[in-house]
Amino acid sequence: MENYTAMQKELIGALVGLARSLDETNSDFSALNSVIRGLKAIAAPTSGDIEAVRSAKQRAVPDCSTCQNPCGKTFDYDLDELKPETSGLKYQLIDTMARYAKKAVFDENNYKNVLDILAEGLFAVGYDYFNDEQLKDMIRKVSC
């Protein structure tokens, strides 16, 4: 689904920003719920879906919005910046994650594993240092 609308791109960019903000100290069950809801909404997002993802990021890293020296780590990603040589695989990864989110079974016991997989996939979308093999491995991992 390489022809995303502007709102879909904005939601995906916000999801990448949320994934970038998550680490061991703030990766919790509510963060996974936000990622899952956001991925499920990709097909037909609303501005409320985008704001919900951004609110989750604000909860995860509350000090980032007031930082005097922003690092850019948690900024929303601009999907138009995808490099042509990896964009096909990254679009495939996004679509795979969206399908995974619709069928993912998670609870408070296994949420960390599901969140790690999805956050890693979103992280891979937003950074250029993932090569084709790594992206294919990520797609396989999310497909399971």
Side-chain angles (χ1 to χ4, degrees):
M1 186 174 165
E2 296 184 31
N3 297 320
Y4 291 115
T5 66
M7 192 166 281
Q8 287 171 311
K9 288 179 179 181
E10 188 175 354
L11 175 58
I12 294 164
L15 283 164
V16 170
L18 173 58
R20 289 175 174 176
S21 72
L22 298 175
D23 62 25
E24 292 301 315
T25 60
N26 58 16
S27 296
D28 60 14
F29 192 66
S30 69
L32 173 61
N33 282 324
S34 298
V35 170
I36 293 282
R37 281 194 306 271
L39 287 168
K40 286 180 177 180
I42 287 175
T46 66
S47 58
D49 296 320
I50 297 165
E51 287 311 309
V53 170
R54 289 182 176 146
S55 292
K57 181 174 61 173
Q58 174 66 28
R59 285 190 305 276
V61 286
D63 296 334
C64 282
S65 63
T66 59
C67 182
Q68 297 299 314
N69 299 306
C71 65
K73 176 185 168 198
T74 63
F75 289 175
D76 290 357
Y77 181 70
D78 182 354
L79 216 57
D80 291 331
E81 293 181 14
L82 287 176
K83 293 194 175 194
E85 57 270 16
T86 58
S87 65
L89 285 171
K90 288 187 178 189
Y91 285 122
Q92 185 179 353
L93 177 56
I94 293 164
D95 293 342
T96 303
M97 286 186 295
R99 283 191 307 276
Y100 178 86
K102 289 179 182 176
K103 65 177 184 170
V105 177
F106 62 93
D107 58 28
E108 300 224 13
N109 295 319
N110 77 338
Y111 83 88
K112 185 73 172 127
N113 294 332
V114 175
L115 181 58
D116 287 349
I117 289 168
L118 294 175
E120 186 179 359
L122 288 164
F123 195 82
V125 169
Y127 285 101
D128 290 329
Y129 55 78
F130 288 85
N131 63 37
D132 286 1
E133 278 310 307
Q134 290 169 313
L135 291 169
K136 288 175 186 175
D137 286 343
M138 184 66 55
I139 291 166
R140 281 189 287 276
K141 185 188 277 189
V142 176
S143 294
C144 294

